[in-house]
Amino acid sequence: MYVAVKGGERAIENAHRLLAHARRGDQSVPELTLDQISEQLGLAVDRVMSEGSLYDRELASLAIKQARGDLIEAIFLVRAFRATLPRFGASEPVDTGAMRVQRRVSSTFKDIPGGQILGPTFDYTHRLLDPSLAEGFVPEVPATAEASTAATPRVTDILGRDGLIESSPEAEDGASVGDLTREPLNFPADRDLRLQNLARGDEGFLLAMGYSTQRGYGRNHPFAGEIRFGEVEVEFFAEDVGFAVPLGSIELTECQMVNQFKGSATEAPCFTRGYGLAFGQSERKTMSMALVDRALRARELGEETLAPAQDEEFVMSHSDNVQATGFVEHLKLPHYVDFQSELGLLRKLRKEFAEANTPDAMKEAAE
Amino acid sequence: MNAPAYNFAYLDEQTKRMIRRAILKAIAIPGYQVPFASREMPMPYGWGTGGVQVTAAILGLDDVLKVIDQGSDDTTNAISIRKFFAKTAGVATTTSTHDATVIQTRHRIPEAELNANQVLVYQVPIPEPLRFLEPRETETRRMHALAEYGLMHVKLYEDIARFGHIATAYAYPVKVNARYVMDPSPTPKFDNPKMDNCAALQLFGAGREKRIYAIPPYTQVVSLDFEDHPFEPYRFNAPCALCGAENSYLDEIVTDDKGGRMFVCSDTDYCEGRQAAGHHGSLSAAPYKEKAGSHG
């Protein structure tokens, strides 16, 4: 019995020993190294870094190994570690316009300054299982070319030149950056907190929410203005020296969705923005995030709010998979005490029901 | 390891038969959305799996296949689907509208007139024209059954009240054979008149939403409008910069980040055909050409 007052401790110990054994699997198979995970399961690492809110490939790889490939468990491990780290400030906003682009596609224009760059992508692969991967597989040397020096202006900036899209809100100088990991969340929440919540939010949840907007639940027909993936510099303003110093570079995926807006009494019709940003190559995540971000702006833009994806409180309260999994899985914990009281009540109610429906009682009621 | 083996045109014969039955029903009831048991295809839902399944079900050994995306034979998705059928069915492929017997399309109807020996297969993302007015399928099915299309007219009327004209630029609703309101898939409304009384069979496949519908040859297709606000196909007021065409649908191409723009035919086959016949626009060279032999 897993509840036994004595013996529980040994049961837990044994369970964890068994888990370690199961995690390792057949010991005649070579053990996974962190490098193998980081290099060959790169997109899993990217997802764990994004939703774990910690940019560290090695720790994310370790978490994936320890979690037996369960990514939500790995995200949980990373989050729990991250919570112990001191926070010494916020970086300068990264300039994604200056990104060293590995991939960049726009579905709004046939050609764009700087060009469309497919980069490493599953797009247009036919999903036919490839038996050659089962054995030792040496990929062909990739085609290379001189890195282009052409500027790659953001597509939304090109639209912005003609005033066809709403301008991006500017950050107020000196305004502090909201952080829902350090402050309690209040509704209505501002867009910075919403975007932070979505960036940490579960990819599957955001995908379903974004999908629902495309299928008509809070419709706002979007175009993928641009999706870009590459490396950007992170800078930090150091008070001591009085200027921004580079901290290093990180890989990011950014998605700008272009959405319709019919205008209002005071504003001419123009396109509106939905925004997504995540660590590593996370296209599904950033696209979903951009769809939901735009849906959550419904009230601000004076649109009807009827669908789940437009409901800020609903989305923000349920997007976090570490919170969600904890509460769903808490149902595994003992509930004997409250269950016992329910059981007692139910027995009482059934008894009363039976008494009220005996032939005698029925006769009485009829008279 | 069991190396997977695939049938002609990927789908097994049972599945093709099921799809053909749905197609026959769709042809018998023009514009009606026939549910079908869409399969998982080796490309993502929403990328043309409905069109690919319809194409796979009707393709024969002698067919000549053309695939276009946004009017172009050269866009990545068109190339990918064309390669898929070249590989799994071994059929001849072409970029010429005239030479093709089956044309699978996303977002355009070719500029050249189609003939009775051709089938146009549309990829459809959202087959339900009422979806954005009513998100529930149970409701929209009922509305179709009762031919209750007032809501659509109200939507168009609201546009007119607000903007002075109907503000739907693509996926413009049509009425087929005076009965069903149908989504023509996200073709620009410029293409709607091409659907009316067309010699070719038009088939529509929506894989993710599991629907097939059809317009048989020489069937009436009317774009919804009002007597005092008649339907107008929209077109940029510019000739094609490459072939000078005055009557084709145009794509806008951004040439720099200082406001530079050019307009060219989205139907690349039509445009190249005109250029080969000696027509020229203001810019004779295409903005980007793949170098010959650069992909080995």
Side-chain angles (χ1 to χ4, degrees), chain A residues 109-111 113 123-128 134 153 158 161-162 211 214-217 219 221 223 262-263, chain B residues 1 42 44 47 76-77 80 84 126 131-132 135-136 162-163 170 208-209 251 254 256-259 261:
Chain A
F109 291 110
K110 203 169 197 167
D111 204 359
D123 295 354
Y124 316 115
T125 58
H126 297 136
R127 268 58 167 207
L128 303 170
I158 293 169
R161 277 184 54 90
D162 297 341
Y211 179 46
Q214 283 183 275
R215 285 197 70 257
Y217 289 84
R219 185 212 189 191
H221 190 94
F223 298 94
K262 301 235 154 131
Chain B
M1 178 172 221
W47 292 45
T76 40
N77 202 33
S80 173
F84 176 72
I126 307 256
R131 177 64 72 241
F132 297 120
R136 274 173 216 284
R162 193 169 184 135
F163 304 108
Y170 60 87
R208 193 179 45 81
E209 299 275 342
D251 280 337
V254 180
D256 54 44
D257 58 350
K258 295 172 185 64
R261 298 281 192 277

Side-chain angles (χ1 to χ4, degrees), chain A residues 275-286:
Chain A
Y275 188 76
L277 186 76
F279 291 150
Q281 190 172 10
S282 306
E283 290 170 35
R284 189 187 298 126
K285 170 68 179 281
T286 49

Side-chain angles (χ1 to χ4, degrees), chain A residues 101 104-106 111-117 150-152 226:
Chain A
V101 169
R104 175 195 193 224
V105 289
S106 168
D111 204 359
I112 40 178
Q116 307 249 17
I117 302 163
T152 52
E226 185 175 358

Side-chain angles (χ1 to χ4, degrees), chain A residues 38 52 88 129 132 167 251 266 275 303 317 333 340 346 361 363:
Chain A
S38 170
F88 61 87
L129 287 168
S132 73
S167 50
E251 286 187 329
T266 52
Y275 188 76
E303 295 167 342
S317 305
L333 294 180
Q340 195 62 50
L346 192 62
K363 209 172 123 207

Side-chain angles (χ1 to χ4, degrees), chain A residues 85-219:
Chain A
L85 299 176
R87 179 181 156 169
F88 61 87
S91 75
E92 295 291 296
V94 291
D95 181 5
T96 53
M99 179 184 274
R100 277 182 296 282
V101 169
Q102 289 188 47
R103 169 164 163 78
R104 175 195 193 224
V105 289
S106 168
S107 71
T108 48
F109 291 110
K110 203 169 197 167
D111 204 359
I112 40 178
Q116 307 249 17
I117 302 163
L118 281 184
T121 177
F122 291 120
D123 295 354
Y124 316 115
T125 58
H126 297 136
R127 268 58 167 207
L128 303 170
L129 287 168
D130 180 3
S132 73
L133 281 183
E135 323 267 302
F137 171 78
V138 183
E140 270 183 75
V141 178
T144 52
E146 283 283 298
S148 166
T149 52
T152 52
R154 286 175 290 226
V155 167
T156 43
D157 294 345
I158 293 169
L159 287 169
R161 277 184 54 90
D162 297 341
L164 291 171
I165 192 165
E166 59 172 345
S167 50
S168 229
E170 295 280 323
E172 281 171 52
D173 267 347
S176 64
V177 182
D179 184 352
L180 48 80
T181 68
R182 304 284 157 145
E183 289 137 33
L185 185 58
N186 280 316
F187 296 110
D190 286 338
R191 193 163 174 221
D192 58 339
L193 287 180
R194 290 205 307 250
L195 287 170
Q196 186 190 7
N197 174 279
L198 297 178
R200 288 161 57 89
D202 182 71
E203 181 172 308
F205 175 83
L206 297 183
L207 175 67
M209 281 288 136
Y211 179 46
S212 72
T213 68
Q214 283 183 275
R215 285 197 70 257
Y217 289 84
R219 185 212 189 191

